[in-house]
Amino acid sequence: MLNDPDPARSRAAMELMIESNEPQLVRLAIDHGLLSATPEVRAYALRAFLDTRPTLLVQVTLPDDVPEKFEGHFRHVTDGTILSNGTATYRLNVGMFHAEKNCYLETGHDWCGIAITPDGVAMSTRAHGNSGRWTYTNLTFQDSGQLAGSTTVWDVPGGFTTSLTLTP
């Protein structure tokens, strides 16, 4: 039923599998949905995945000429890591879904951390202590099920290529 060409049937099968709370069925349904060519099915699978409140590992590819202030601002806002291979990574803990704001809150805070968009996700992080510093990441689904796009960092010019893998 997951492979039914009718998106409504495919989604109904996914819903039943997810509602079963059987870990293997839930994972199978989410993985299938994330790889779907149908945006509504992908969005449903993404929401089901985020409802598990995972910790996401976001990877930012840095150019050779990364601005000097990137490292300090990136680490301050995300508590992320700059790796020697030219990649910066940070973890984003998915909080509870807030129905009125239509987003997942950043864990431990009352602001939106993740919003599902028609093509993927929009994610933001803020520096703790209300310093006004932030990162903003906009990612769209690729055919592989991976999300790709860019991240902007407070007071650093330009955007940086970013990816997020949700499937094993």
Side-chain angles (χ1 to χ4, degrees):
M1 296 269 313
L2 283 176
N3 291 320
D4 195 299
D6 178 1
R9 286 186 183 171
S10 179
R11 181 175 166 164
M14 283 177 48
E15 288 174 3
L16 289 172
M17 292 171 73
I18 290 168
E19 289 171 8
S20 76
N21 289 323
E22 181 66 35
Q24 290 177 322
L25 291 177
V26 170
R27 188 71 221 186
L28 181 65
I30 289 172
D31 288 349
H32 176 79
L34 291 174
L35 294 171
S36 173
T38 307
E40 296 82 18
V41 173
R42 246 190 344 241
Y44 181 80
L46 180 58
R47 173 117 191 230
F49 175 72
L50 294 175
D51 283 346
T52 68
R53 299 185 62 200
T55 298
L56 305 176
L57 179 63
V58 182
Q59 296 185 334
V60 180
T61 303
L62 302 177
D64 292 335
D65 61 344
V66 64
E68 245 182 75
K69 57 184 160 183
F70 174 87
E71 185 173 346
H73 291 301
F74 180 80
R75 284 187 174 160
H76 179 76
V77 176
T78 66
D79 293 325
T81 303
I82 310 293
L83 305 173
S84 60
N85 67 358
T87 302
T89 63
Y90 71 94
R91 296 186 184 284
L92 181 60
N93 296 316
V94 179
M96 299 297 293
F97 183 77
H98 192 287
E100 289 177 23
K101 294 181 180 182
N102 196 30
C103 67
Y104 291 86
L105 301 178
E106 189 172 329
T107 299
H109 302 283
D110 66 349
W111 58 72
C112 290
I114 300 174
I116 297 175
T117 66
D119 298 324
V121 296
M123 304 185 307
S124 62
T125 56
R126 294 183 192 178
H128 303 291
N130 294 323
S131 68
R133 297 177 181 173
W134 48 265
T135 63
Y136 180 75
T137 301
N138 189 25
L139 303 173
T140 58
F141 272 104
Q142 308 302 296
D143 290 339
S144 64
Q146 182 181 43
L147 290 157
S150 68
T151 295
T152 54
V153 178
W154 171 81
D155 199 33
V156 177
F160 302 92
T161 303
T162 305
S163 63
L164 174 61
T165 301
L166 302 177
T167 58

